[in-house]
């Protein structure tokens, strides 16, 4: 029989405690954080173990690495205690991203389809689809938007490996709003409007530059995502030092190439809405890339070549 050790369980939120939470549980010596969640959920009568959040009793920080041994966590080793919280109904991260990226796809189909109903009373001098149809540049942007988000859907379904299983289901509306409302609704309303800056048939030199930037950005972003996925085993949470195109310049080359691609879209569309979308995205990516730099330094020490810039060379 495998050796076990006893761990005290404490409710993180005494005002909303987990009903049925046992005072102690016995865990195998090699039990991981995920194993502990499964045992706690089973004994507390909770069907989905992903609802169980476990925290270090000393630092009060979430034990994020679900594959880490419980006994190796400093606070647990010191106190033989786990702090526990019911996180509420959960949804898989893969599902979250699939839903997020679906919004722009749907809006960039819907808005061109209903142009006769939304622009007829606008100041864009819209007449009908025969006299003011979508132009070549607008159709090009239609294709670029769909190519990007269909790529993201494919990567979510078949390429990316997630370190966490789930997130609180209530957060999906907040997380999706950025893509659905800005990249989807706002960008589509502006780009497909008659007589706006994208409503032209001739491609200029600036358009071809933008198209080249988009092609390079999307291709390199794809290559980086493939490389990052290869660094982690299926179901694993381990970290590895990236060694791919752009990784010698910044911590997160996938973000760098994403910005490059969307800058190309800005040059083609001349749309303020695309500027709003990518600038808002940069705010988020800046934080994520800096967190990744800190994590790589902490995990690999001197083996990791520290980066001054985390996503945009010379800027961020």
């Amino acid at each position: 029989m495998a050796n076990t050790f006893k761990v005290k369980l404490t409710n993180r939120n005494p005002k909303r405690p987990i009903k049925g939470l046992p005072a102690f549980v016995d865990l195998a010596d090699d039990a991981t954080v995920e194993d502990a969640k499964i045992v706690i959920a089973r004994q507390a009568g909770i069907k989905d173990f992903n609802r169980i959040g476990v925290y270090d009793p000393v630092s009060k920080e979430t034990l994020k690495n679900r594959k880490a041994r419980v006994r190796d966590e400093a606070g647990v080793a010191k106190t033989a205690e786990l702090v526990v919280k019911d996180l509420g109904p959960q949804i898989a991260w893969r599902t979250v991203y699939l839903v997020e990226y679906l919004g722009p796809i749907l809006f960039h189909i819907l808005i061109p389809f209903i142009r006769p109903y939304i622009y007829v009373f606008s100041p864009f001098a819209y007449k009908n689809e025969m006299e003011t149809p979508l132009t070549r540049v607008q159709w090009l942007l239609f294709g670029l938007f769909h190519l990007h988000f269909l790529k993201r859907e494919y990567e979510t379904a078949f390429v990316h490996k997630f370190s966490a299983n789930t997130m609180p289901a209530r957060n999906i509306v907040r997380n999706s709003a950025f893509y659905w409302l800005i990249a989807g609704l706002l960008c589509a309303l502006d780009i497909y409007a008659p007589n706006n800056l994208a409503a032209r048939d001739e491609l200029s030199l600036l358009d071809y530059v933008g198209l080249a930037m988009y092609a390079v950005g999307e291709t390199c972003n794809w290559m980086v995502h493939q490389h990052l996925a290869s660094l982690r085993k299926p179901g694993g949470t381990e970290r590895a030092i990236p060694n791919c195109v752009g990784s010698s310049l910044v911590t997160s080359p996938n973000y760098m190439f994403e910005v490059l691609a969307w800058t190309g879209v800005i040059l083609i569309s001349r749309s303020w809405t695309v500027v709003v979308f990518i600038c808002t995205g940069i705010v988020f990516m800046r934080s994520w890339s800096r967190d990744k730099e800190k994590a790589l330094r902490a995990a690999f020490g001197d083996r990791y070549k520290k980066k001054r810039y985390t996503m945009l060379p010379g800027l961020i």
Side-chain angles (χ1 to χ4, degrees), residues 108-140:
H108 282 266
I109 293 174
L110 176 65
I111 298 303
F113 183 74
I114 62 172
R115 287 175 87 238
Y117 307 100
I118 60 177
Y119 295 121
V120 66
F121 300 112
S122 74
F124 292 111
Y126 178 82
K127 296 181 179 179
N128 53 60
E129 285 299 297
M130 290 294 294
E131 296 187 50
T132 48
L134 285 177
T135 66
R136 288 179 60 194
V137 173
Q138 287 173 321
W139 277 118
L140 173 62

Side-chain angles (χ1 to χ4, degrees), residues 178-179 182 252 255-256 258-259 262 274-292 310-312 315-316:
F178 169 62
Y179 288 102
I182 301 181
S252 300
Y255 297 157
M256 175 178 68
E258 176 125 351
V259 173
W262 283 107
V274 184
V275 175
V276 170
F277 169 64
I278 193 55
C279 286
T280 306
I282 287 173
V283 173
F284 293 116
M285 291 186 286
R286 173 179 176 268
S287 176
W288 298 333
S289 64
R290 290 184 173 182
D291 288 344
K292 183 175 181 179
T310 60
M311 63 172 286
L312 295 177
L315 297 174
I316 298 174

